Amino acid sequence: MSTSFKKRTLFSGVLIASSLATMAYAETPKPGFTVTPSIGYYNTDSDRQAGNDTSYSIGVGYQTNSPLALEAVYLHSDASKRGRNNDLDQYRVDGLYSLPEFTTVNLTPYVAAGVGMTDVDGDSNNLLVNAGGGVKYAINSDVDLRADFRLVKDIEDNHLDNVTSVGVQYSFGMPNQQASN
């Protein structure tokens, strides 16, 4: 083995170990209930009879005492196409997993996935799965700005939609332990 390969391997090992240690000591979000109103853009599959339009959503969730949070979401979009107004309603339950916070700028990236139902014009209630992620910017300990992108797969009709949104997440958790001591 060359000396250069050994040095790169040692450097890579130290880098990975320090990254894992940083992840282990990263501050977890404050546990408690959350409410997240959002506005966004719903982009439907080109095969779907609905169009692309603005979407509105509200999420109510619970942040556990770990990086994991659960959230129930209602989303509505008019999804107009060729002069026809299509009401698209979505009900889903998502799991969000917060990644380590970038402490210098208060950004916390997260990944998300979930299941639910899509209803277009009351014609069908189709099963969906979604996956994506986003980033939260902490304004203070109780309010975050949140940007989110999701791929939404309609299982029954085989459509792949996507939704991009921005919102404000309000946390109603317990006070930090350090502040009460």
Side-chain angles (χ1 to χ4, degrees), residues 2 5 7 29 37 44 51 59 65 75 77 97 113 141-142 156-157 169:
S2 72
F5 178 75
K7 287 180 184 177
T44 61
N65 197 13
L75 178 141
S77 179
Y97 187 84
S141 64
D142 295 327
E156 296 171 38
D157 287 340
Q169 179 171 311

Side-chain angles (χ1 to χ4, degrees), residues 55-159:
S55 65
Y56 307 94
S57 65
I58 184 80
V60 177
Y62 184 77
Q63 175 66 53
T64 64
N65 197 13
S66 72
L68 182 64
L70 295 175
E71 187 173 59
V73 178
Y74 167 73
L75 178 141
H76 175 79
S77 179
D78 287 331
S80 300
K81 185 174 186 177
R82 295 186 197 115
R84 181 176 175 214
N85 189 17
N86 299 295
D87 285 328
L88 185 141
D89 293 306
Q90 198 176 84
Y91 310 90
R92 58 180 211 252
V93 176
D94 298 334
L96 287 76
Y97 187 84
S98 296
L99 301 170
E101 179 181 306
F102 297 110
T103 55
T104 58
V105 288
N106 294 328
L107 286 177
T108 304
Y110 62 90
V111 293
V115 298
M117 302 293 286
T118 297
D119 177 20
V120 180
D121 279 338
D123 294 339
S124 60
N125 285 319
N126 292 350
L127 182 65
L128 69 85
V129 294
N130 77 83
V135 65
K136 293 186 284 187
Y137 174 75
I139 294 174
N140 59 42
S141 64
D142 295 327
V143 179
D144 295 317
L145 293 179
R146 185 166 138 181
D148 191 277
F149 177 79
R150 302 289 175 98
L151 291 173
V152 181
K153 175 74 172 165
D154 183 325
I155 301 296
E156 296 171 38
D157 287 340
N158 201 28
H159 296 296

